[in-house]
Amino acid sequence: MRILVVEDERRLASVLQKGLNEHGYATDIAHDGQSALALALTEPYDLLVLDVMLPGLDGITVCRELRNRGRTVPILMLTARDAVEDRVAGLDAGADDYLVKPFAFAELLARIRALFRRESAAKQPALRLGDRELEIDLLKREVRQRGQPVELTPREFAILEYLVRHANTVVTRTQLIDHVWGLAFMPGSNVIDVYIRSLRRKLGDELIQTVRGVGYRVRVPND
Ligand code: CA
């Protein structure tokens, strides 16, 4: 899951980014409305955390502009304590939810999970591979392999989820970087190999195949 955090208070922005990364979300940051809009129109985000008070374009304008252009990405607005009119304007502009500053990080996480749940429950609550080979519960964020629970870190979960969503097709390293790390990925890093190795240790060597020079493919063994 990839999230764009739009927040001009740089300290808050980097605290949010660090926290979200630790919970397995890939995050990018924009510090003003103009670059937020440009990023949200070009990058495939799964959610926006959008501050209302921004230099240049404010958050409400960014939200309205995205909706006018047909973008349905879930938007969580951050508003000031007493600005009731901001909340109303944000929801009218097409935001899905709002959070009043200052907020506890745990509450932000809960709102994000709720928005993802609303999205994915409408679409697909679980991913399955083969008959019982692999089952990924997207609401509880649990994985079972042939009925047995498998403990994954948030980042491992994010990688596996992406691979299984694209089962039987080759996922390039670039796609994994875009959807699991975002722009924060360090070029030249071997972190993908490290995570794939760890996933293989937990799920067996056969599930995730390396397609040399291209990327990875998940396939039911002997299928
Ligand atoms: Ca602000």
Side-chain angles (χ1 to χ4, degrees):
M1 292 293 190
R2 187 171 174 192
I3 298 176
L4 177 64
V5 175
V6 188
E7 173 55 76
D8 56 317
E9 293 164 48
R10 284 169 191 258
R11 242 176 58 91
L12 177 58
S14 67
V15 168
L16 293 179
Q17 180 170 45
K18 190 160 171 286
L20 290 171
N21 286 348
E22 281 166 8
H23 285 81
Y25 299 113
T27 49
D28 298 331
I29 292 186
H31 294 296
D32 62 81
Q34 203 63 260
S35 50
L37 187 58
L39 277 170
L41 287 171
T42 49
E43 301 288 328
Y45 293 108
D46 299 297
L47 188 137
L48 260 64
V49 174
L50 180 59
D51 188 29
V52 169
M53 298 282 284
L54 293 168
L57 292 180
D58 64 51
I60 288 163
T61 308
V62 171
C63 183
R64 190 178 302 119
E65 194 58 30
L66 286 171
R67 296 306 188 225
N68 285 345
R69 297 193 195 194
R71 304 306 159 101
T72 57
V73 58
I75 297 177
L76 174 62
M77 288 272 199
L78 304 180
T79 69
R81 181 177 285 285
D82 297 317
V84 177
E85 63 278 12
D86 278 358
R87 283 170 236 161
V88 174
L91 294 171
D92 281 348
D96 297 277
D97 198 2
Y98 65 84
L99 199 53
V100 177
K101 285 177 163 182
F103 51 84
F105 186 71
E107 187 175 5
L108 176 70
L109 279 180
R111 297 297 181 93
I112 288 173
R113 278 198 300 269
L115 284 177
F116 280 148
R117 265 201 301 276
R118 205 196 285 175
E119 274 276 296
S120 65
K123 288 181 194 151
Q124 200 177 21
L127 296 173
R128 263 182 202 85
L129 196 62
D131 193 14
R132 289 182 75 228
E133 177 60 27
L134 206 64
E135 209 178 322
I136 303 180
D137 187 321
L138 296 170
L139 305 187
K140 296 187 198 148
R141 301 188 74 77
E142 288 170 359
V143 175
R144 283 173 180 273
Q145 187 177 36
R146 296 182 288 276
Q148 295 300 311
V150 182
E151 291 290 329
L152 298 184
T153 67
R155 190 80 86 188
E156 288 168 353
F157 186 95
I159 294 170
L160 185 67
E161 178 189 342
Y162 192 80
L163 288 171
V164 172
R165 279 188 192 280
H166 300 85
N168 301 314
T169 58
V170 181
V171 170
T172 65
R173 294 170 66 87
T174 310
Q175 279 174 293
L176 275 183
I177 291 167
D178 280 352
H179 287 271
V180 180
W181 278 273
L183 302 178
F185 188 81
M186 298 272 276
S189 149
N190 72 341
V191 68
I192 293 181
D193 310 82
V194 173
Y195 277 107
I196 294 287
R197 219 173 300 143
S198 163
L199 278 169
R200 282 180 177 148
R201 211 161 40 230
K202 294 179 178 182
L203 297 163
D205 285 335
E206 290 177 345
L207 187 67
I208 303 173
Q209 304 170 336
T210 300
V211 181
R212 212 163 281 286
V214 187
Y216 302 96
R217 177 174 50 207
V218 151
R219 182 182 258 175
V220 181
N222 310 317
D223 194 27

